[in-house]
Amino acid sequence: MQGQPFWGALMDTYGVGCVALGEAGPVGSMTVVDSPGQEVLNQLDVKASSEMTNAEASIEMSLPTPLPEFEDSPDKKRFPLEQESLSILEQQDLSSEMSKVSKPRASKPGRKRGGRTRKGPKRPQQPNPPPAPLVPGLLDQSNPLSTPMPKKRGRKSKAELLLLKLSKGLDQPESPPPKRPPEDFEAPPGERPRRRAAQVALLYLQELAEELSTALPAPVSCPESSKLSSPTKLKKSQADADPQGGGGEDDTAQDEDFVLQVEAEDEEESEIPSESSSDPEPAVLAVPQVPAVSAVPQVPAVPEVSAVPAVPAVPRSAPRGSTSGKQKPHCRGVAPNGLPNHIMAPVWKCFHLTKDLREQKHSYWEFAEWIPLAWKWHLLSEIEAAPYLPQEEKSPLFSVQREGLPEDGTLYRINRFSSITAHPERWDVSFFTGGPLWALEWCPVPEGATASQYVALFSSPDMNETHSLSQLHSGPGLLQLWGLGTLQQESCPDNRAHFVYGIACDNGCIWDLKFCPSGAWELPSTPRKDPLLPRLGLLALACSDGKVLLFSLPHPEALLAQQLPDAMKPAIYKVECVATLQVGSVQASDPSECGQCLSLAWMPTRPHHHLAAGYYNGMVVFWNLPTNSPLQQIRLSDGSLKLYPFQCFPAHDQAVRNLQWCKANSHFLVSAGSDRKIKFWDLRRPYEPINSIKRFLSTELAWLLPYNGVTVAQDNCYASYGLCGIHYIDAGYLGFKAYFTAPRKGTVWSLSGSDWLGTIAAGDISGELIAAILPDMALNPINVKRPVERRFPIYKADLIPYQDDPEDQDHYSASSGAPNPPKARTYAETVSHHYLLFQDTDLGSFHDLLRREPMLRMQEREGHSQLCLDRLQLEAIHKVRFSPNLDSYGWLVSGGQSGLVRIHFVRGLTSPLGHRMQLESQAQFNAMF
């Protein structure tokens, strides 16, 4: 501390000299007092000479002894005279030299020389001797050792080192206690000071590592041999074995607390061992049998590997540079479904991510004021319902050819609102809606509720109907609700799909449907007083007259119990919607200013209060559904509401074709427009997009939960040769290039993604429905090898002429590449000479996938397919949707121009992990309800 005395020794070549008394100043500086007087110097000289003589006598070396006349020598008498003859400048120089010699430079923690930490054995600190004797006459000039010696640059001799040791052992005045380090230093005895800030940073990094490990659950295992220990223990054991030697090891051990003791992750593609692999390699582990890192979140420090010796498993990853005792992370082998483990690893990871996020972001009950009322549902008679029904009463002829099963050649024709029984082996179901399908959506069901699954859809009344998007359109239409039964993974559906009820609308075409993501479903057995009915869900419709309608749908059992319809006739209801959403304001409401509403997006995180819509003029509009503001809400005479937006901004120069909300953070939205741009928005700053990409004309987007980007389906009118198809585009945060998911020859009308499976499905104009398993998009997709192994066909629809048609040699399906495809432009002409052939892939297993016939056929069409666009594309697929529910996560529904809707179960992508989650969710749901 400042003001404390210190002692500095002036050393001559023997290591003995005079001692100067000074005062310590601040760190790095020193205050020098006046030179010592005559009496002090004489006493010190005598004492040092006597002690030096005794010390030298004990050395077993041939060293010269001091002269016996040392005390009475005339040099001693001349000493004060020479000292007094020094000038003031020489005294200051002498004091500075004394301070340099007496106070060695303190080593700072983490100080490096030349950018490297000095390694090797430590050598004791020794002051550098002055270039010339500061006090002449102390030693006899006749003695050769008393002659001043130049400073050596190399190592000192053993004699000099021994003398230095002896000189340090001499009795010297007590030195003051060392200067106390600042408060942010901790100086354990015998060690150099450590910063508390570094320890705080270490704890923060450890907590961050634990959060990351819990966000991405992955198997953690311990080494094969219990002899392996952590690097920390190894360093400590070395330090205990050799406490004095090995300066480099000591420095490393002292710096131990500044190193984060977490094993580094490998930079390759995220690889999680499979649950049960047919490959006998020991590195492929079962996911549910190995505890995850998040199982011990309460431990403040990262646990060592040897702390869990009970799990006999192989480590998931090894630290960088480690070559002994650990194996490199890999995901070799083949999963039970026939796909490689490195392809299925992202699928298994998506289960955990989706389950955890839904527990955080979803709700069990929202919008309690919007309960269905029985008196608002008016059952229409047959005459009243006729204008709303689709015109076609019979489906076109179709046949189904299933891979691996003998062809029976059966041709099916089913009635409107009817279906065929599920196939006993493949479980696929088909039903006819009566018109071209343009909107489709699954009804969300809470996890664990083993209830019936429902889909809502809209079909155009006329097979040949066309509309202009530039003008508003209104007219009769029918919203259909279909029940699919309890779709399970273990057994075939016990009943066929059935038409539940329809809602008659006078708002023209319905271009998009969106259910409230959560909180709108309740048990069918929920007791309600009349006229209240148990609620199935909240459904929003995007209509061609520019309005958005919001319906509260009741459970079919409760509704049909109130009004018994004719069993032979469909139940068509005229319903009053709970809210009508339109653009404008209370004082100026003009729906025509924005045009038709083409897309919808419901806020995916609770409380789901906001609904977004995209319009023909490029506007994106937002409504606050439970608002009480008189500027945004008007209550009509029938009790329904009319809502006006609280926010809107021009997103595109042309029509907004699709909107997708980020499921992990509701502040972010992506839009695709007819101006060929894809824009990412931060809704807190909507005046400018985060990123804008102009590539091609996009038709639909899919923003899967785990990834920071969207999968895009495109029209082939602006696509470059060879690049038409499905692309994954990063939002700009990671800066990855676009990943070409799957090539397509024709326009991809629809795209859907499954958060549970990390898989997308796409249907195009050629009638082919494919699925593609996305790699881990958190890593750069440029390193993905052989993407063809990640996609597979689900089915392909072809237009085939009748066998007994005399013109069958001239007409053939357009996809077959025949020179004379059919030229029929209307539905009646097409069905009079042709039928649809659906070629289904066996989705129960993917063994030997690349050599199977459906896969070879898909690859051939990707390269050499021909399209004929001057005819009615009866086989085109317009809408595809994966089930968002955990109980039916492997089911896929699709439909298109023919009015036929097909349901498939992608059984090969299901896993025991998903089944275990279903059982856990069922137990939790039963305990709550």
Side-chain angles (χ1 to χ4, degrees):
M1 295 180 62
Q2 186 171 358
Q4 296 292 335
F6 76 100
W7 289 93
L10 261 180
M11 314 295 291
D12 59 1
T13 54
Y14 281 101
V16 181
C18 62
V19 179
L21 178 65
E23 184 179 50
V27 177
S29 64
M30 181 177 64
T31 304
V32 183
V33 299
D34 295 336
S35 59
Q38 174 69 30
E39 298 178 0
V40 177
L41 291 176
N42 291 340
Q43 294 176 2
L44 294 175
D45 189 9
V46 173
K47 184 176 181 179
S49 301
S50 61
E51 291 176 352
M52 183 62 191
T53 305
N54 297 335
E56 289 181 354
S58 63
I59 302 176
E60 298 179 1
M61 297 177 62
S62 59
L63 295 178
T65 59
L67 296 177
E69 306 86 11
F70 177 70
E71 295 183 359
D72 301 329
S73 64
D75 294 335
K76 177 182 176 183
K77 299 178 181 179
R78 290 194 300 269
F79 175 74
L81 298 177
E82 291 182 8
Q83 180 67 26
E84 292 177 357
S85 65
L86 292 175
S87 63
I88 299 176
L89 180 60
E90 291 174 341
Q91 292 179 7
Q92 295 177 355
D93 294 340
L94 178 61
S95 302
S96 62
E97 290 293 329
M98 291 167 58
S99 64
K100 292 180 183 178
V101 174
S102 60
K103 183 174 182 180
R105 182 173 56 185
S107 61
K108 298 182 180 179
R111 180 181 179 89
K112 296 183 180 179
R113 181 176 299 175
R116 294 176 178 269
T117 304
R118 183 177 179 181
K119 296 185 178 181
K122 284 188 175 180
R123 290 186 295 179
Q125 298 282 351
Q126 82 176 22
N128 296 328
L134 297 176
V135 185
L138 286 178
L139 300 177
D140 191 1
Q141 299 296 332
S142 63
N143 195 335
L145 291 178
S146 63
T147 306
M149 299 178 65
K151 180 180 179 181
K152 294 183 179 180
R153 294 183 178 272
R155 293 175 59 89
K156 293 185 178 297
S157 62
K158 293 183 178 180
E160 292 175 339
L161 294 177
L162 186 58
L163 289 176
L164 286 175
K165 285 187 177 181
L166 292 174
S167 65
K168 290 184 178 181
L170 299 178
D171 295 333
Q172 295 183 1
E174 294 183 358
S175 60
K179 187 174 180 64
R180 184 178 180 182
E183 294 182 358
D184 60 342
F185 280 80
E186 293 182 3
E191 299 181 12
R192 60 186 183 182
R194 303 176 180 178
R195 293 182 180 271
R196 291 180 182 175
Q199 295 180 353
V200 174
L202 175 66
L203 295 177
Y204 169 75
L205 291 176
Q206 290 177 348
E207 294 175 0
L208 184 61
E210 292 179 1
E211 291 179 1
L212 292 177
S213 63
T214 55
L216 295 177
V220 176
S221 51
C222 51
E224 296 177 354
S225 176
S226 59
K227 296 180 181 180
L228 295 177
S229 60
S230 63
T232 307
K233 288 190 174 182
L234 181 60
K235 294 174 182 178
K236 289 183 178 180
S237 61
Q238 292 177 355
D240 296 340
D242 189 8
Q244 297 180 355
E249 290 79 5
D250 293 344
D251 293 344
T252 307
Q254 291 180 0
D255 287 340
E256 236 173 20
D257 59 326
F258 295 93
V259 181
L260 183 62
Q261 303 172 6
V262 179
E263 295 184 357
E265 297 287 343
D266 198 284
E267 296 181 356
E268 299 178 359
E269 179 179 349
S270 177
E271 298 168 343
I272 302 178
S274 64
E275 298 171 348
S276 56
S277 174
S278 57
D279 193 72
E281 297 185 7
V284 181
L285 304 179
V287 172
Q289 296 178 359
V290 184
V293 179
S294 59
V296 281
Q298 67 275 10
V299 181
V302 178
E304 297 174 352
V305 178
S306 59
V308 248
V311 184
V314 185
R316 174 176 174 261
S317 61
R320 293 185 181 91
S322 176
T323 56
S324 62
K326 293 183 180 292
Q327 298 182 1
K328 293 183 178 180
H330 56 271
C331 209
R332 303 172 183 169
V334 180
N337 60 356
L339 293 176
N341 280 330
H342 71 272
I343 293 180
M344 291 299 298
V347 177
W348 298 323
K349 183 187 296 185
C350 287
F351 279 107
H352 295 284
L353 293 175
T354 306
K355 185 69 164 57
D356 295 341
L357 182 129
R358 292 200 175 189
E359 291 178 353
Q360 301 173 10
K361 304 294 184 179
H362 281 195
S363 173
Y364 280 104
W365 189 245
E366 298 291 343
F367 304 102
E369 67 278 7
W370 287 343
I371 303 298
L373 298 173
W375 59 268
K376 287 188 176 183
W377 290 73
H378 175 61
L379 181 63
L380 299 181
S381 63
E382 183 176 358
I383 299 177
E384 294 174 337
Y388 300 97
L389 299 180
Q391 296 180 2
E392 296 299 327
E393 298 183 359
K394 298 286 185 180
S395 71
L397 285 174
F398 67 95
S399 178
V400 181
Q401 179 181 339
R402 299 174 178 87
E403 180 194 9
L405 298 179
E407 302 180 12
D408 53 2
T410 304
L411 291 177
Y412 299 93
R413 187 191 295 271
I414 55 180
N415 297 327
R416 183 179 58 195
F417 306 144
S418 300
S419 68
I420 59 176
T421 309
H423 192 270
E425 295 185 22
R426 302 295 168 82
W427 303 357
D428 57 282
V429 182
S430 302
F431 58 88
F432 182 56
T433 62
L437 185 71
W438 288 107
L440 178 66
E441 194 69 26
W442 288 78
C443 178
V445 177
E447 285 76 22
T450 55
S452 297
Q453 305 291 322
Y454 295 92
V455 293
L457 56 90
F458 172 80
S459 293
S460 297
D462 189 1
M463 284 286 187
N464 302 312
E465 186 177 12
T466 57
H467 300 286
S468 175
L469 295 179
S470 60
Q471 299 177 358
L472 297 180
H473 167 71
S474 61
L478 183 66
L479 174 67
Q480 305 178 26
L481 185 68
W482 287 77
L484 308 181
T486 55
L487 302 178
Q488 302 294 331
Q489 298 184 11
E490 298 82 11
S491 60
C492 178
D494 52 356
N495 54 359
R496 63 182 67 189
H498 59 284
F499 178 82
V500 176
Y501 56 77
I503 298 177
C505 301
D506 294 306
N507 304 90
C509 292
I510 300 175
W511 296 121
D512 200 4
L513 300 172
K514 283 296 180 294
F515 276 95
C516 180
S518 68
W521 186 94
E522 60 181 342
L523 288 170
S525 59
T526 303
R528 291 285 184 185
K529 294 182 179 180
D530 292 337
L532 299 178
L533 300 174
R535 190 172 66 186
L536 177 66
L538 291 174
L539 179 63
L541 315 179
C543 303
S544 60
D545 65 347
K547 297 180 180 179
V548 177
L549 304 181
L550 193 61
F551 289 95
S552 180
L553 303 183
H555 276 280
E557 299 87 351
L559 179 63
L560 298 179
Q562 294 285 339
Q563 304 173 6
L564 296 177
D566 189 352
M568 301 301 297
K569 299 176 183 179
I572 309 298
Y573 292 89
K574 190 67 175 179
V575 188
E576 297 178 4
C577 59
V578 295
T580 302
L581 287 60
Q582 63 184 50
V583 296
S585 62
V586 175
Q587 297 180 353
S589 177
D590 185 11
S592 62
E593 61 177 318
C594 291
Q596 299 187 28
C597 183
L598 303 178
S599 58
L600 290 175
W602 207 309
M603 189 173 73
T605 60
R606 59 184 179 191
H608 313 293
H609 284 174
H610 295 167
L611 184 67
Y615 281 84
Y616 174 77
N617 68 340
M619 295 291 293
V620 174
V621 182
F622 297 87
W623 292 275
N624 185 17
L625 300 180
T627 181
N628 292 322
S629 172
L631 300 178
Q632 302 175 12
Q633 172 185 297
I634 296 178
R635 185 169 295 276
L636 303 179
S637 58
D638 57 357
S640 62
L641 299 176
K642 180 179 288 188
L643 301 180
Y644 294 97
F646 72 94
Q647 184 183 22
C648 58
F649 58 87
H652 294 270
D653 298 332
Q654 299 180 23
V656 180
R657 301 175 69 99
N658 197 249
L659 291 173
Q660 287 291 327
W661 227 307
C662 178
K663 299 173 184 176
N665 192 333
S666 58
H667 292 306
F668 300 99
L669 184 84
V670 63
S671 61
S674 297
D675 55 357
R676 300 168 53 190
K677 292 182 180 179
I678 300 173
K679 296 184 179 181
F680 295 87
W681 302 91
D682 186 348
L683 299 180
R684 295 166 294 186
R685 294 178 290 273
Y687 49 83
E688 185 180 6
I690 300 175
N691 194 10
S692 179
I693 304 170
K694 185 175 182 180
R695 291 173 58 93
F696 35 64
L697 184 59
S698 303
T699 56
E700 196 164 9
L701 307 173
W703 197 336
L704 294 186
L705 175 62
Y707 306 128
N708 185 42
V710 294
T711 310
V712 186
Q714 70 179 54
D715 197 324
N716 62 350
C717 58
Y718 294 106
S720 303
Y721 179 77
L723 294 179
C724 179
I726 307 166
H727 298 257
Y728 174 85
I729 299 178
D730 183 72
Y733 179 75
L734 298 176
F736 295 155
K737 293 184 178 180
Y739 169 65
F740 197 13
T741 306
R744 299 283 87 197
K745 281 296 181 180
T747 298
V748 182
W749 280 115
S750 182
L751 184 72
S752 178
S754 173
D755 293 328
W756 299 103
L757 300 175
T759 304
I760 57 101
D764 58 17
I765 194 174
S766 66
E768 187 168 22
L769 177 63
I770 68 166
I773 304 173
L774 293 180
D776 190 354
M777 289 303 176
L779 306 176
N780 197 338
I782 197 174
N783 300 320
V784 176
K785 309 300 182 184
R786 296 182 60 84
V788 68
E789 296 180 354
R790 297 180 175 271
R791 61 180 182 266
F792 54 89
I794 296 178
Y795 71 84
K796 174 68 173 72
D798 286 320
L799 197 60
I800 307 296
Y802 294 140
Q803 295 290 337
D804 54 353
D805 195 330
E807 300 180 357
D808 60 352
Q809 300 299 328
D810 297 331
H811 300 292
Y812 199 60
S813 76
S815 61
S816 63
N820 297 320
K823 301 295 183 181
R825 296 179 179 271
T826 63
Y827 174 77
E829 294 176 359
T830 304
V831 298
S832 61
H833 299 285
H834 302 84
Y835 71 96
L836 289 172
L837 174 64
F838 296 101
Q839 303 177 40
D840 291 7
T841 305
D842 183 8
L843 302 175
S845 174
F846 299 107
H847 288 281
D848 201 17
L849 179 63
L850 296 179
R851 288 189 288 270
R852 285 160 58 173
E853 182 181 357
M855 193 70 179
L856 297 176
R857 188 168 54 242
M858 181 193 72
Q859 296 179 11
E860 181 181 0
R861 284 191 295 266
E862 291 175 351
H864 306 286
S865 177
Q866 295 182 5
L867 294 175
C868 181
L869 302 179
D870 58 349
R871 66 174 180 88
L872 179 66
Q873 303 290 334
L874 190 64
E875 71 275 18
I877 300 175
H878 292 165
K879 284 297 175 181
V880 179
R881 288 293 180 267
F882 261 114
S883 173
N885 305 322
L886 177 59
D887 293 334
S888 57
Y889 69 88
W891 290 84
L892 180 70
V893 60
S894 60
Q897 179 66 37
S898 63
L900 290 169
V901 178
R902 306 199 67 207
I903 306 171
H904 291 81
F905 180 41
V906 191
R907 194 186 314 175
L909 295 183
T910 60
S911 63
L913 177 60
H915 182 62
R916 188 189 68 179
M917 284 188 175
Q918 287 180 343
L919 297 179
E920 294 175 354
S921 300
Q922 291 175 10
Q924 181 179 1
F925 185 85
N926 294 333
M928 295 179 60
F929 300 99

